[in-house]
């Protein structure tokens, strides 16, 4: 059976809603508090491959940290991945990983396609 992991921020309403939705479906994911346990660049690349998305679709562009890091819509993927690894507040949340696939919980129901 595939392991399910949620990169979770308990202060985020979408993250809380996604976790509650998974639990209501009988899914007990491993909870990774990614702000305290940031993913490495390799883990971010793996998550992006599972999502089949470019780095710009996983980064929170409206965060002050995005501007503070000198990032822009034109920043290359490697730069964005390095920035997310260094400052995990930039990672869009919540992210659910299941088997060889992943989904963003925006909206929370989007993660149900993994199961």
């Amino acid at each position: 059976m595939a392991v399910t992991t949620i990169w979770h921020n308990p202060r985020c309403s979408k993250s809380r809603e996604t976790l509650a939705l998974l639990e209501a479906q009988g899914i007990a994911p491993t909870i990774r508090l990614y702000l305290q346990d940031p993913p490495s660049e390799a883990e971010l690349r793996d998550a992006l491959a599972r999502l089949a998305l470019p780095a710009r679709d996983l980064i929170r562009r409206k965060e002050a940290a995005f501007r503070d890091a000198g990032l822009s819509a034109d920043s290359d993927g490697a730069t964005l991945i390095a920035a997310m690894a260094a400052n995990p507040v930039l990672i869009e949340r919540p992210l659910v990983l299941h088997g060889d696939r992943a989904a963003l919980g925006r909206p929370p129901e989007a993660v149900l396609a993994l199961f």
Side-chain angles (χ1 to χ4, degrees):
M1 179 181 250
V3 174
T4 302
T5 302
I6 182 172
W7 291 3
H8 181 58
N9 177 353
R11 296 185 63 201
C12 171
S13 64
K14 293 294 182 204
S15 195
R16 290 190 309 269
E17 290 171 22
T18 300
L19 179 56
L21 179 65
L22 290 172
E23 291 173 339
Q25 298 292 315
I27 300 163
T30 299
I31 298 171
R32 181 174 185 172
L33 300 175
Y34 70 94
L35 294 176
Q36 289 81 31
D37 180 17
S40 66
E41 289 185 36
E43 289 173 307
L44 286 162
R45 281 190 294 277
D46 177 64
L48 287 164
R50 293 188 207 192
L51 288 163
L53 293 175
R56 71 176 176 275
D57 290 347
L58 187 60
I59 198 161
R60 297 175 60 86
R61 288 172 268 182
K62 293 182 182 177
E63 290 288 335
F66 184 83
R67 291 182 303 281
D68 294 347
L71 302 171
S72 73
D74 297 326
S75 296
D76 65 79
T79 300
L80 296 176
I81 290 168
M84 287 186 279
N87 194 348
V89 73
L90 291 172
I91 301 169
E92 187 61 80
R93 61 190 179 256
L95 176 67
V96 176
L97 303 128
H98 180 76
D100 63 353
R101 299 185 323 149
L104 285 170
R106 294 197 170 263
E109 296 77 18
V111 303
L112 296 178
L114 295 172
F115 305 96

